[in-house]
Amino acid sequence: MFIHLDIFTFLALTIFALLIITYILVIQVVLLRLLHGYQAKQEQKFIAVWEGKIFNYLESDEKPVTLVKKIRRGKYFYLLRYLREFLLMLKGDDFKKLSALINETKLQRFLLSQLKSGSPKKINEAAYFLGLAKSVASRSVLQKKLRSQNASVFLSSALALARLNDIDSVFDIFRNARRFKFVSKDSLLAILSEYSNEICKPLLLNLKKEKNTLIQSITITLFRHFKFYQAGETVLKIIVYSQNKDVIIESIKFFCTIEFVKSATALRTLINHPKAEVRAEVLKALAVLGDETFEQRIWDRMYDPEYEVQYNAVTTLIKLIPGSEEKISNFAYGNLKDRAAAIARMVLSERNIKN
């Protein structure tokens, strides 16, 4: 009897404790919503007062210091968030005028103090706005933050340095990124694409000796992004010897983007590559870079075991070989039980619908 009583008491206490925790969590959610609502209203009030003054500043000879000194420190982030979209959109003199509100006022000192703090949230916010404003004064601190053990601090600092076009930091970004398992290739590309095309020359020099396949792949993708034709010969040497699928595919896409005709011979040798993704990408590139002498090799790929490769073989033949559509049509409707012929019929039907 006493045992049962103890069990029921324990269950009652447990349920009571869970109810208390649930109640506390609900209170926290309500308070956070109220706080968020209050802050949103305060921000709207700030914009209502200051929006006109900011536009007047942009259209006048008013000094940035004159405007910013009227704003209390507690309202700085209201101003920064309001400026964000304009800093992303504006160019030239308009951008300089707007960024001066950060770079030539106490706002910059405020953000630098945030950047040097121990709070990842404050560091990330400061790095974001200093990068948007292209604050040269923040460069040395941002470079140090690349060595942070916090992945978000590393990423925000790297993005800010890219927006500053700090070429010297490129290889520090590569080197420090390896410490974080969750920093992906896409994340690095999103950051590095913020650089200007000035990044290409040092990347090309490095690529000639770089052995890391991830860095090779990212570098070649950036060359494609900037349409950096001068890298063609170097990338061609890499694709001939590379065994890495991503490096090969990025190289093929790069050749296609810059229409590097010299790569056609190398691509012809890759048409029988063991990886289906490579074969499919080669065929797409040959539609741009190939010639009529490739016809038989492309026909052979119509019997590839992979659907995408077969599909690309048909579309490449139509684009590359004049008059091939009639030959493909005869093949497609003369072999009704053949899978390759069925794919050819599908491609022809798609073309008829589009036309």
Side-chain angles (χ1 to χ4, degrees), residues 31-44:
L31 288 174
L32 285 171
R33 285 190 175 181
L34 288 172
L35 179 61
H36 179 75
Y38 172 77
Q39 289 177 335
K41 286 181 180 178
Q42 291 299 108
E43 189 167 345
Q44 288 171 0

Side-chain angles (χ1 to χ4, degrees), residues 307-329:
Y307 166 81
E308 186 180 3
V309 179
Q310 290 180 291
Y311 183 91
N312 287 357
V314 179
T315 56
T316 297
L317 281 169
I318 291 172
K319 291 176 183 176
L320 186 62
I321 312 298
S324 62
E325 195 163 346
E326 183 180 351
K327 183 177 179 181
I328 291 170
S329 180

Side-chain angles (χ1 to χ4, degrees), residues 5-207:
L5 182 62
D6 287 342
I7 291 171
F8 286 129
T9 302
F10 173 76
L11 288 173
L13 289 171
T14 301
I15 292 168
F16 180 74
L18 289 172
L19 288 171
I20 292 294
I21 292 170
T22 303
Y23 178 75
I24 292 170
L25 289 173
V26 169
I27 293 296
Q28 284 182 331
V29 170
V30 171
L31 288 174
L32 285 171
R33 285 190 175 181
L34 288 172
L35 179 61
H36 179 75
Y38 172 77
Q39 289 177 335
K41 286 181 180 178
Q42 291 299 108
E43 189 167 345
Q44 288 171 0
K45 286 181 181 178
F46 174 86
I47 292 170
V49 172
W50 286 96
E51 185 174 36
K53 295 179 181 181
I54 292 168
F55 278 102
N56 287 337
Y57 158 77
L58 289 172
E59 295 171 358
S60 70
D61 295 328
E62 183 182 356
K63 299 293 183 184
V65 174
T66 306
L67 178 68
V68 174
K69 74 179 182 181
K70 299 174 186 175
I71 301 172
R72 290 191 290 113
R73 185 184 176 94
K75 307 290 186 182
Y76 282 174
F77 274 108
Y78 294 158
L79 173 63
L80 290 166
R81 283 194 285 268
Y82 179 73
L83 297 179
R84 176 174 53 198
E85 295 300 321
F86 298 104
L87 288 168
L88 285 166
M89 293 187 299
L90 295 178
K91 305 291 182 186
D93 291 339
D94 288 335
F95 174 82
K96 289 179 182 177
K97 180 84 171 172
L98 197 67
S99 63
L101 289 173
I102 295 174
N103 296 333
E104 298 177 20
T105 70
K106 56 186 179 180
L107 261 178
Q108 182 169 251
R109 293 194 299 275
F110 167 73
L111 289 172
L112 285 172
S113 69
Q114 299 281 99
L115 191 63
K116 295 173 184 176
S117 74
S119 165
K121 182 177 183 295
K122 290 181 179 179
I123 293 169
N124 292 340
E125 285 182 332
Y128 179 76
F129 288 111
L130 289 165
L132 276 186
K134 304 188 189 304
S135 168
V136 176
S138 66
R139 179 176 294 161
S140 61
V141 183
L142 289 167
Q143 288 172 341
K144 291 176 184 176
K145 293 298 178 183
L146 289 178
R147 299 192 288 273
S148 171
Q149 297 302 310
N150 185 295
S152 69
V153 170
F154 163 74
L155 288 169
S156 63
S157 301
L159 179 61
L161 287 164
R163 285 174 168 161
L164 282 165
N165 204 39
D166 185 36
I167 305 294
D168 293 339
S169 296
V170 172
F171 299 108
D172 283 338
I173 292 172
F174 276 137
R175 184 163 46 252
N176 286 289
R178 298 176 192 176
R179 296 185 290 112
F180 302 104
K181 292 181 180 179
F182 302 109
V183 175
S184 65
K185 175 183 174 181
D186 289 341
S187 298
L188 286 173
L189 281 170
I191 289 168
L192 295 170
S193 61
E194 291 284 336
Y195 276 97
S196 73
N197 60 6
E198 293 173 35
I199 195 179
C200 292
K201 287 185 179 179
L203 284 176
L204 179 57
L205 288 173
N206 182 70
L207 185 62

Side-chain angles (χ1 to χ4, degrees), residues 85 107 268 291 297:
E85 295 300 321
L107 261 178
R268 183 168 57 182
D291 58 47
R297 286 175 180 263

